[in-house]
Amino acid sequence: MEKDVRRRPHGTRRLGVLTGSVLLLGAVLGPGALSLPTLAADAAGPASLLAWALLLLAGIPVAATFAALGGTFPDGGGVAHFASLAFGGRTAGAASWWFLAAVPLGVTAAALMGGHYVAAAVGADPGVAVGVGLGLLAASFALNAVGLHTTGRVQVVTAAVMVTLLVVTVAVSLGDVRAGSFTPFAPHGWSGVGVAATVLFFAFAGWEAAAHLSADFADPGRGLRRATALTVTVVVVLYLGLAVVTLGVLGPAAGRDPAPLLTLLQRAVGPAGTAPATVAALLLTFGAINAYLASGARLGAALGRDGALPRWLVGRTTPGREPRRSLAFLAACCLVVAVPVLGGVVALDGLVRATSALLAAVTLVGTLAGVRLLRGRQRTTAVVASAFLAVVLLCCGALLALPAAVGAVAALTERRRRASRRPAPARP
């Protein structure tokens, strides 16, 4: 552990509890908060509150596990680093591939969420939502290509805007909550709660970000744990409050409203709520897309460097240069994802569930690494977190084929790479 710390540039480990908490909020309070209440309500009705409560409660051991891993083994490599320590390079490679596959699905879904908010605000048709979403993607790809990716300062601004928006929305909407809006409680049966849980995991896949931030804390052990505890408290209060007012105010319409936050603000304060909600949604969406593309492009280039992906396709990491070839690869993947969306073959909830399945697999690898690497109460917490994530994966149903297929391709590529490095047998 000391060796890893010494390799960090001087002066980079300076995050305190407050700054670290805000950065973690930026990762967890992503654009999913904009549309997930609608998707969950559509899947389970008022019973989606159980899915929210379950994920919030179970997210505590997940967050604690990554805080413990980051505090014990501080490194910017995140899940791949822990998986490599616990299980070796093959498992770390599979986790890397899962995350890379989730990037084009996730950023396309996030872009559409932002686009739907703009379309709802100006009263435009769904075509405008798709156009705005593709515009957000194009702008983020352009900025990443010239090196202007999201910085810690932008993440702080983004998190502050989102927290303010959620607090204001919940506060001004509580008075309009009606008990009758929660009946019937489970219109789609109890199986809908499981479906809602897999959708909502999209909003809880940011806890592993604590691991990436660990080496930047002034005190990775105590500081990261305190920042995580503060973040968990804020997230539980905000998300539960948002779920209650969305269902309690909108009633059956909660499952059909593409922009619930916007609708709630307009009901509470009138047209004055439109502009701030729209600007906040765009800022939050763009920040999340930018961050995921920056991480995904660098991961793709690293896989090219290691031979896990063809270098002609994704390039390789080079100090001081942006991974433009890897960005171009991700752009092509986003276009492939966008085509069935434009054709009406794939809906937004399909992209969200596919992304959730991949990210749940990545997160499960991280918590299983915690079972292997941690001791005492921390190991017990990792066991609980792993059990929860295993249930989430099972609820993904047929979508389990996606991480299975990506993992199989990763394993096959790794096998071929190892075979190509073996020396040829000597001729007699």
Side-chain angles (χ1 to χ4, degrees):
M1 181 174 71
E2 293 179 358
K3 183 177 180 181
D4 289 337
V5 172
R6 286 196 297 267
R7 283 191 306 216
R8 291 289 171 186
H10 177 69
T12 57
R13 293 178 10 257
R14 57 180 181 273
L15 289 180
V17 173
L18 182 59
T19 305
S21 299
V22 173
L23 290 174
L24 288 177
L25 278 172
V28 179
L29 289 177
L34 301 177
S35 295
L36 287 180
T38 291
L39 297 178
D42 182 57
S48 61
L49 284 175
L50 297 179
W52 280 103
L54 172 65
L55 283 171
L56 287 168
L57 181 63
I60 295 175
V62 174
T65 297
F66 281 107
L69 285 169
T72 307
F73 309 99
D75 187 90
V79 174
H81 175 66
F82 305 142
S84 179
L85 292 176
F87 308 115
R90 292 183 178 179
T91 303
S96 298
W97 275 64
W98 286 331
F99 181 81
L100 186 65
V103 169
L105 297 174
V107 299
T108 303
L112 290 176
M113 290 177 186
H116 280 301
Y117 261 76
V118 174
V122 300
D125 57 36
V128 173
V130 174
V132 171
L134 293 179
L136 287 169
L137 279 175
S140 186
F141 273 111
L143 287 178
N144 272 278
V146 297
L148 298 178
H149 57 82
T150 305
T151 63
R153 186 171 298 177
V154 173
Q155 291 284 15
V156 169
V157 172
T158 299
V161 170
M162 191 59 191
V163 170
T164 301
L165 175 63
L166 291 178
V167 169
V168 171
T169 301
V170 172
V172 300
S173 301
L174 280 174
D176 294 327
V177 173
R178 298 291 180 266
S181 298
F182 298 97
T183 56
F185 187 70
H188 306 298
W190 295 111
S191 62
V193 176
V195 175
T198 61
V199 173
L200 291 177
F201 188 80
F202 187 87
F204 298 90
W207 289 121
E208 72 275 9
H212 295 278
L213 292 172
S214 59
D216 293 318
F217 274 82
D219 183 353
R222 184 168 53 182
L224 179 57
R225 285 194 292 270
R226 289 181 175 179
T228 301
L230 179 58
T231 303
V232 167
T233 302
V234 174
V235 167
V236 168
V237 172
L238 289 180
Y239 269 150
L240 275 182
L242 176 62
V244 169
V245 297
T246 298
L247 291 163
V249 175
L250 302 183
R256 301 187 299 270
D257 194 324
L261 291 184
L262 180 61
T263 302
L264 290 171
L265 283 176
Q266 287 178 334
R267 285 194 175 195
V269 300
T274 301
T278 303
V279 172
L282 286 173
L283 178 61
L284 177 70
T285 303
F286 182 77
I289 293 173
N290 214 25
Y292 266 95
L293 288 182
S295 300
R298 281 153 182 79
L299 176 58
L303 292 175
R305 175 202 62 199
D306 298 336
L309 282 175
R311 290 183 181 177
W312 62 265
L313 184 63
V314 295
R316 60 181 179 179
T317 53
T318 304
R321 296 184 61 183
E322 295 299 318
R324 292 188 177 91
R325 188 173 297 184
S326 183
L327 275 172
F329 168 71
L330 288 177
C333 291
C334 287
L335 287 176
V336 171
V337 172
V339 167
V341 175
L342 293 173
V345 178
V346 177
L348 177 60
D349 65 333
L351 292 184
V352 171
R353 291 175 187 177
T355 305
S356 296
L358 290 165
L359 293 180
V362 174
T363 311
L364 177 58
V365 168
T367 57
L368 288 175
V371 175
R372 197 87 175 278
L373 298 173
L374 299 175
R375 297 290 181 269
R377 292 182 179 178
Q378 293 179 341
R379 184 177 185 274
T380 301
T381 301
V383 171
V384 174
S386 299
F388 157 67
L389 290 167
V391 172
V392 171
L393 274 175
L394 289 176
C395 290
C396 290
L399 285 174
L400 283 174
L402 186 56
V406 174
V409 172
L412 180 61
T413 303
E414 176 67 15
R415 183 180 302 175
R416 289 182 175 178
R417 184 173 69 89
R418 290 176 180 270
S420 66
R421 290 184 175 183
R422 293 173 186 168
R427 295 183 178 180

